[in-house]
Amino acid sequence: MGIARREARCEDFPSNATRAQAFMQTTIRYFASVREALGTASETVELPETLRTLGEARAWLAARSERHAAALGAQRTLRMACDHVMAEPDEALLPGREIAFFPPVTGG
């Protein structure tokens, strides 16, 4: 029993404009003390196309303001999730992904 294969066609892939737009619009969710520090539970941001990993996205977000730096800066031990799955800083940042930041221990 073999695996069915077919040739990829151009219409199977989004255009560069669509891919860039999807990549740019990212939902960021904040939990526990990160949410309290920023005063918001989530935001939709336009990330630069040059960002390739979650760690790079975190550094870019931390540079946005003093509040972001205090909440997301490298001095804080934070966990990250991508699309509801725990992730490491070197996780690839792909179009349309949802990113979440939270402290290592959260209470209910």
Side-chain angles (χ1 to χ4, degrees):
M1 184 161 107
I3 297 173
R5 297 180 192 262
R6 74 173 177 86
E7 300 252 343
R9 300 179 307 242
C10 289
E11 58 268 17
D12 293 336
F13 302 97
S15 69
N16 285 339
T18 303
R19 188 173 25 238
Q21 183 180 10
F23 183 77
M24 300 294 278
Q25 290 287 336
T26 303
T27 300
I28 312 292
R29 300 209 184 276
Y30 306 112
F31 294 92
S33 61
V34 181
R35 178 185 64 231
E36 293 167 13
L38 292 173
T40 188
S42 68
E43 62 182 326
T44 300
V45 297
E46 292 188 8
L47 296 174
E49 293 179 28
T50 55
L51 302 179
R52 299 288 180 225
T53 66
L54 293 182
E56 291 176 5
R58 177 182 174 179
W60 183 86
L61 289 163
R64 292 175 68 202
S65 72
E66 288 183 23
R67 289 176 75 179
H68 283 83
L72 299 167
Q75 78 283 359
R76 295 237 14 225
T77 301
L78 293 177
R79 299 298 311 261
M80 291 181 279
C82 189
D83 295 334
H84 306 273
V85 177
M86 298 298 292
E88 297 297 323
D90 60 352
E91 176 84 18
L93 188 58
L94 299 173
R97 289 189 137 180
E98 177 186 275
I99 302 169
F101 295 98
F102 48 94
V105 178
T106 60

